[in-house]
Amino acid sequence: MNPFGWLNDQLLRMQWLSDLVRTLVEQGMGLPMSGRVGASVHFFIYDTAKIFILLSLLIFGISYVQSHFPPERTRRILGRFSGVRGNVLAALLGTVTPFCSCSSIPLFIGFTSAGLPTGVTFSFLISSPLVDLASVILLASIFNWPIAIAYVTVGVVLAVVGGSLIGRARMERHIEPFVFTSPVMNGDESVPDVRERLRFARDQVRDIVRRVWLYILIGVAIGAAIHNWIPASLINGLLGQDKPWSVPLATLVGMPMYADIFGTLPIAEALVARGVGLGTALAFMMSVTALSLPSIVMLKRVVRTPLLATFVGIVTGGIVLIGYLFNALAGAFT
């Protein structure tokens, strides 16, 4: 027996939970797993429970680490670097900060008013909602570790490249003037003790679960429907890996939506299970998290149309390229 494989199956994929839910569905509810109803009920209960368990544990642990990187400290760290180094650091810090696309906008204002380069702030703005440490574990639990690591890598690269291109375009004149005069906190921050960090981690779990639980339930329900009720021929006809338009279509479909990565993962899982290309499913997931309509509307309040169009164009183009890349290399991840 491979110990790592056993731990991966039992701790991340939670095979024990899948078996327990199977027993509940077949013996407790009398629904055969061979039927669409039984399979759908199993998918919904198992994925919902697994995501909430992993999410709670991961957010608690990660938030404890993140308590060392409050917004003001993040700003001070980024302020020490410029150029590509600043973009790389901003993208990496974005992966360890608990901010969705909408909550990243106030940080963008704070960073810009503090004098950070525009390109650096956009690298953070791209990376923060797109990649976080919890998503790595959840991706590994649904797919595998190579896919999870590759996703994080391309997400960071997109943030670095996107921020660098925006920085080189020198579009600071397209940021609304009030952003540069917003108040910035410069005082020293007290260092929390262990008890305060644990309390912060607990509160983060409550806050994030409260914000994403509905999206998770909706995402799992859609995933169950795709997995068991929508004919594979219909899905493949629209988003099949052999369809050249599948990646751009998935990207465009995801843009008007608003959901956390945790709500889109079950949909991506179901799409891949029904024959949709891995890159197509990931492009949809990245589009929902990085280019959601609410975040674009909020960003429009602080930047003018040329800069907003540049940001959306660069991120959209990057997501499409990443989707095609994952589709082309899907065999390497199995």
Side-chain angles (χ1 to χ4, degrees):
M1 175 186 292
N2 181 359
F4 180 79
W6 183 86
L7 289 174
N8 189 72
D9 288 340
Q10 298 302 321
L11 295 182
L12 291 183
R13 297 184 183 276
M14 295 190 185
Q15 186 59 45
W16 60 269
L17 179 61
S18 178
D19 296 338
L20 182 63
V21 175
R22 175 185 291 270
T23 302
L24 173 66
V25 172
E26 291 185 331
Q27 299 183 14
M29 300 181 181
L31 298 173
M33 286 291 296
S34 57
R36 289 189 295 182
V37 175
S40 297
V41 172
H42 179 275
F43 186 101
F44 184 84
I45 296 176
Y46 166 61
D47 267 43
T48 300
K50 180 180 71 173
I51 290 174
F52 275 115
I53 291 171
L54 282 176
L55 182 63
S56 299
L57 293 174
L58 292 170
I59 292 300
F60 186 89
I62 292 168
S63 295
Y64 187 86
V65 175
Q66 290 168 342
S67 66
H68 295 272
F69 296 94
E72 172 60 16
R73 185 178 182 187
T74 302
R75 182 190 69 79
R76 289 201 302 265
I77 293 173
L78 291 178
R80 302 172 189 165
F81 299 87
S82 60
V84 176
R85 288 195 306 168
N87 293 110
V88 172
L89 183 60
L92 292 176
L93 281 175
T95 66
V96 295
T97 47
F99 307 119
C100 64
S101 56
C102 287
S103 59
S104 297
I105 305 299
L107 286 172
F108 169 83
I109 296 174
F111 291 164
T112 303
S113 64
L116 268 64
T118 301
V120 172
T121 60
F122 270 98
S123 286
F124 182 89
L125 187 64
I126 296 170
S127 172
S128 183
L130 194 63
V131 182
D132 61 59
L133 298 179
S135 67
V136 179
I137 307 298
L138 287 172
L139 274 167
S141 73
I142 289 177
F143 297 110
N144 57 44
W145 278 105
I147 291 175
I149 295 172
Y151 173 84
V152 173
T153 301
V154 297
V156 171
V157 169
L158 175 59
V160 172
V161 173
S164 298
L165 290 175
I166 291 174
R168 289 180 178 275
R170 301 189 181 281
M171 304 185 74
E172 289 80 3
R173 66 186 183 279
H174 295 298
I175 299 176
E176 295 293 346
F178 80 87
V179 174
F180 296 100
T181 59
S182 298
V184 180
M185 180 178 63
N186 291 310
D188 294 332
E189 297 179 342
S190 59
V191 178
D193 57 25
V194 173
R195 180 176 297 180
E196 290 172 326
R197 295 188 192 280
L198 291 174
R199 188 181 303 117
F200 169 78
R202 181 201 62 191
D203 292 342
Q204 282 295 103
V205 172
R206 291 177 176 175
D207 179 61
I208 292 176
V209 170
R210 184 171 59 248
R211 286 192 287 113
V212 307
W213 71 268
L214 181 60
Y215 299 113
I216 292 175
L217 294 182
I218 293 174
V220 174
I222 294 174
I226 292 173
H227 197 276
N228 297 288
W229 295 89
I230 300 179
S233 58
L234 176 60
I235 296 176
N236 284 320
L238 291 173
L239 298 173
Q241 191 166 347
D242 60 330
K243 303 299 187 294
W245 63 77
S246 63
V247 173
L249 179 60
T251 304
L252 292 175
V253 168
M255 289 176 64
M257 302 181 183
Y258 177 68
D260 202 283
I261 188 173
F262 312 116
T264 57
L265 274 169
I267 301 176
E269 175 189 14
L271 288 173
V272 172
R274 299 296 273 177
V276 173
L278 174 63
T280 304
L282 292 182
F284 168 79
M285 190 172 71
M286 297 174 81
S287 176
V288 172
T289 54
L291 295 172
S292 66
L293 185 58
S295 67
I296 297 301
V297 171
M298 290 185 64
L299 189 58
K300 180 64 175 70
R301 296 177 180 270
V302 297
V303 303
R304 294 168 183 160
T305 301
L307 179 52
L308 180 66
T310 301
F311 166 75
V312 172
I314 289 174
V315 177
T316 301
I319 290 174
V320 170
L321 288 175
I322 289 170
Y324 282 126
L325 178 65
F326 270 92
N327 277 347
L329 301 177
F333 297 111
T334 57

